[in-house]
Amino acid sequence: MLPPPPPPGMIERLSVFLDFDGTLVELAHAPDAIRIAPGLIDMLENAAAALEGRLAVVSGRALADLDRHLGTRRLTLSGSHGGELRLAAASANAPPGSAFPEQAHLEASAFAAAHGLLLETKPLGFAFHYRQTPTAGATVEAFARQLGTRYGLAMKAGKMVAELMPPGIDKGGIVASLMATPGFRGSTPVFIGDDLTDEDGFRAAAAHGGFGILVGTRAATTATARLGDVNAVHTWLGHL
């Protein structure tokens, strides 16, 4: 079992990168069914201020969707697994990469309808959610890989979700990009997340002298510390 992380005050010039679903908010049966805990946004803004801006929320959600739930310009937000970015207080978003092929989306829609799946469309791709039919995981991932191969898309597997998007985009890439900016450069990055797609963030944090914190009980991970659940993440951040 991984140890708990040190208190944030013991980490020299800390930077914090945070996954959203399963890390800051509890997982729900559908993306729009999540609940934002009272005081969460204020806590994140206060933490970002204490870190002189070195805090970013890095999510697989589209940036517009993430922004809709958090509703603040005081945080750096990255959506689509790092494919979209808006710096804190910025007046505009960084443009996303190329959109996915329309024919691929048509085939995905037909497959989702035939198998009773929720298909979530994003600026850079789409995601098959199978939380309502958990036994369909292998079938969904096999179809997503096959579709991705034909259209030059990469598949990302997560908790009850398989996502297709252009290759070369992951959460580690946005960590590396932000760590190269003046505000983050020379700090100690800590990436906190619960899902398989957060492993890229853990590795990038380690490559820049920091570490990853896994949320939950998943066994195989490159993180070196663990927090038990969303409430434990809130408590850890509250120490800032």
Side-chain angles (χ1 to χ4, degrees), residues 56 63 76-79 82-87 92-96 174 177-178:
L63 180 57
T76 291
L77 303 180
S78 177
E84 302 176 278
L85 175 66
R86 188 187 70 224
L87 299 175
N93 305 336
I174 199 64
S177 295
L178 286 172

Side-chain angles (χ1 to χ4, degrees), residues 12 129-130 191 229:
E12 184 175 359
H129 293 271
Y130 54 91
F191 195 106
D229 52 26

